[in-house]
């Protein structure tokens, strides 16, 4: 996965490996990480959202979403995603002003979410046990009654690595160090051949193992998402199988899609026939709607063969009129810095121990970044 340190700005390129890590954590500690899906009032703002939380935190998030719109920028984050965010930060890429070292992000705790529409949700989240603890990081919420499982994802990666590389075993201690980092760089972004160890972690029939494309698009811009699909079924998918929009045709491109509700076929989108057990890559073009405010769009696209739905793909992005489309949706702002918790602040990142100092320190970091990004245009 080290090839992605210098290209792209979405951690969705490691979704396959990240899902395996999250599933392995669930095998090691049942309930510590459970999956949730977008739908109804719950929307995702990019493909980088890895929708796993502790079971209690998930229940309390879905309870809030049962009565009002909840737009998720970031959920769980694995050591693989945090490795990329930290490298991008070190390289000055993707608009990341600060990032926790791998293993240390609050989002590796399994009890944190970032919500785009945070301001309208603070009291509803609070009534369900979600705190809003970090001055200067307004999108961030935590669920302190759920356990902090930081380190479990590192241990899950170590177990997956050892299972797939019996001749190169490393310590399964949950500590992130040079041994783990070296293996992480070599690990396949789309996931290992042998995945999680418990039966509950069965893959979807149409399993998305990588999405390579921007988290954000400018209004009216064309985007292209290169999606690696794994056919986990026992039958081949013919090249004539169609990609049909179930929900979210706002993203359709008149000139590149077959119709507003049909993207094309596996053949026309570059994937061709995909045999049983094999992987293929399709390219889905989208046209960002003209909007004047930041708006999250998600599409559910079904793979349909001869009238039979084989499975679905979720695609999510944000249309951002403020000109930050080259940044990461997962940590394109102050949110990459999540090393601090329990009210502690790291010198040189978010400064100050009170809200005023914290806000000023944060602005001092972000304003130069904004000026730089304007200058580039
Ligand atoms: Zn956060």
């Amino acid at each position: 996965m080290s090839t992605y340190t210098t290209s792209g700005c979405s951690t969705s390129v490691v979704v396959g490996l990240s899902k395996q890590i999250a599933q392995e954590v669930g095998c090691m500690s049942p309930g510590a990480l459970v999956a949730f899906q977008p739908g109804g009032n719950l929307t995702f703002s990019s493909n980088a959202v890895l929708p796993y939380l502790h079971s209690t935190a998930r229940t309390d998030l879905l309870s809030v979403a049962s009565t009002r719109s909840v737009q998720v920028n970031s959920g769980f984050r694995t050591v693989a995603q945090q490795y990329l965010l930290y490298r991008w930060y070190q390289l000055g890429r993707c608009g990341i002003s600060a990032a926790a070292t791998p293993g240390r992000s609050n989002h590796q705790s399994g009890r944190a979410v970032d919500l785009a529409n945070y301001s309208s949700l603070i009291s509803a989240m609070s009534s369900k046990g979600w705190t809003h603890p970090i001055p200067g990081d307004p999108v961030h919420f935590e669920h302190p009654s759920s356990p902090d499982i930081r380190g479990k994802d590192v241990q899950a990666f170590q177990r997956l690595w050892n299972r797939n590389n019996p001749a190169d075993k490393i310590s399964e201690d949950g500590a992130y160090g040079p041994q783990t980092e070296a293996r992480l760089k070599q690990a396949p972004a789309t996931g290992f051949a042998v995945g999680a160890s418990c039966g509950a972690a069965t893959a979807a029939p149409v399993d998305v193992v990588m999405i390579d494309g921007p988290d954000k698009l400018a209004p009216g811009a064309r985007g292209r998402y290169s999606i690696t699909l794994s056919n986990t079924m026992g039958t081949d998918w013919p090249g004539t199988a169609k990609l049909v929009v179930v929900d979210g045709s706002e993203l359709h491109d008149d000139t590149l899609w077959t119709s507003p509700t049909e993207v094309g076929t596996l053949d026309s989108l570059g994937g061709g026939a995909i045999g049983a057990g094999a992987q293929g890559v399709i390219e889905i073009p989208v046209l960002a709607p003209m909007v004047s405010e930041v708006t999250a769009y998600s599409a559910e696209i079904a793979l349909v063969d001869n009238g039979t739905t084989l499975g679905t793909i979720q695609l999510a992005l944000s249309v951002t009129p403020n000109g930050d489309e080259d940044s990461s949706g997962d940590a394109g702002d102050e949110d990459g810095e999540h090393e601090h918790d329990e009210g502690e602040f790291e010198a040189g990142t978010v400064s100050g121990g009170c809200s005023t100092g914290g806000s000023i320190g944060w602005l001092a970091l972000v304003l130069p970044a904004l000026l730089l990004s304007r200058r580039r245009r």
Side-chain angles (χ1 to χ4, degrees):
M1 57 167 273
S2 59
T3 49
Y4 297 101
T5 54
T6 53
S7 70
C9 285
S10 177
T11 62
S12 59
V13 290
V14 290
V15 68
L17 178 59
S18 292
K19 281 196 286 191
Q20 283 187 342
I21 292 171
Q23 288 163 352
E24 182 70 15
V25 170
C27 296
M28 290 157 55
S29 311
L33 274 189
V34 291
F36 58 98
Q37 300 295 328
N41 292 326
L42 190 67
T43 52
F44 294 173
S45 64
S46 79
N47 302 309
V49 175
L50 191 66
Y52 290 84
L53 283 171
H54 186 272
S55 56
T56 313
R58 177 185 68 169
T59 299
D60 282 343
L61 182 70
L62 297 183
S63 177
V64 174
S66 69
T67 55
R68 61 200 78 214
S69 164
V70 173
Q71 298 166 17
V72 180
N73 281 353
S74 190
F76 187 59
R77 203 178 289 155
T78 66
V79 65
Q81 292 167 294
Q82 194 64 28
Y83 169 78
L84 287 180
L85 293 171
Y86 189 68
R87 284 297 293 149
W88 295 340
Y89 159 66
Q90 287 181 312
L91 296 169
R93 298 188 62 244
C94 304
I96 299 170
S97 57
T101 52
R104 294 297 313 151
S105 166
N106 281 4
H107 284 263
Q108 289 174 257
S109 68
R111 59 176 191 181
V113 289
D114 293 343
L115 303 180
N117 58 333
Y118 62 90
S119 60
S120 63
L121 293 172
I122 292 170
S123 69
M125 289 290 278
S126 171
S127 74
K128 294 294 172 187
W130 286 93
T131 60
H132 190 237
I134 304 180
D137 191 358
V139 295
H140 186 84
F141 292 84
E142 299 217 357
H143 195 264
S145 66
S146 295
D148 183 342
I149 60 158
R150 251 175 287 191
K152 285 268 186 202
D153 64 322
V154 176
Q155 193 179 12
F157 170 77
Q158 291 164 339
R159 286 162 56 115
L160 286 160
W161 175 269
N162 288 346
R163 193 171 301 145
N164 286 274
N165 297 276
D168 178 37
K169 288 203 170 185
I170 56 173
S171 171
E172 297 179 3
D173 58 5
Y176 185 84
Q179 300 287 316
T180 303
E181 181 174 326
R183 292 353 180 258
L184 200 51
K185 286 180 188 170
Q186 298 169 45
T190 54
F192 289 106
V194 183
S197 57
C198 58
T202 46
V206 178
D207 193 23
V208 174
V209 293
M210 181 184 293
I211 300 185
D212 195 354
D215 288 343
K216 302 172 183 179
L217 285 173
R222 288 201 151 90
R224 189 166 279 276
Y225 292 84
S226 174
I227 303 179
T228 307
L229 300 175
S230 183
N231 177 354
T232 67
M233 301 171 72
T235 52
D236 297 348
W237 299 338
T240 52
K242 295 173 178 175
L243 276 301
V244 177
V245 176
V246 178
D247 191 19
S249 60
E250 303 97 320
L251 296 172
H252 89 273
D253 186 327
D254 265 339
T255 60
L256 297 174
W257 286 29
T258 306
S259 79
T261 54
E262 185 187 324
V263 188
T265 62
L266 286 180
D267 278 337
S268 74
L269 299 171
I274 302 175
Q279 292 185 353
V281 181
I282 57 170
E283 298 273 340
I284 292 193
V286 303
L287 180 62
M290 295 301 296
V291 289
S292 55
E293 288 187 343
V294 176
T295 310
Y297 288 93
S298 57
E300 183 179 3
I301 299 170
L303 180 63
V304 179
D305 178 31
N306 252 331
T308 302
T309 296
L310 304 172
T312 58
I313 299 166
Q314 304 283 346
L315 192 66
L317 59 97
S318 289
V319 180
T320 58
N322 52 354
D324 65 346
E325 58 268 21
D326 296 330
S327 64
S328 163
D330 207 16
D333 54 16
E334 74 282 5
D335 180 51
E337 205 292 313
H338 273 164
E339 193 146 2
H340 49 267
D341 57 1
E342 322 295 346
E344 284 177 34
F345 290 83
E346 295 258 320
T349 50
V350 177
S351 60
C354 63
S355 62
T356 310
S359 300
I360 289 169
W362 170 73
L363 280 174
L365 285 168
V366 169
L367 282 175
L370 286 174
L371 291 172
L372 277 173
S373 78
R374 292 229 172 94
R375 207 169 295 151
R376 262 205 316 254
R377 323 200 119 264

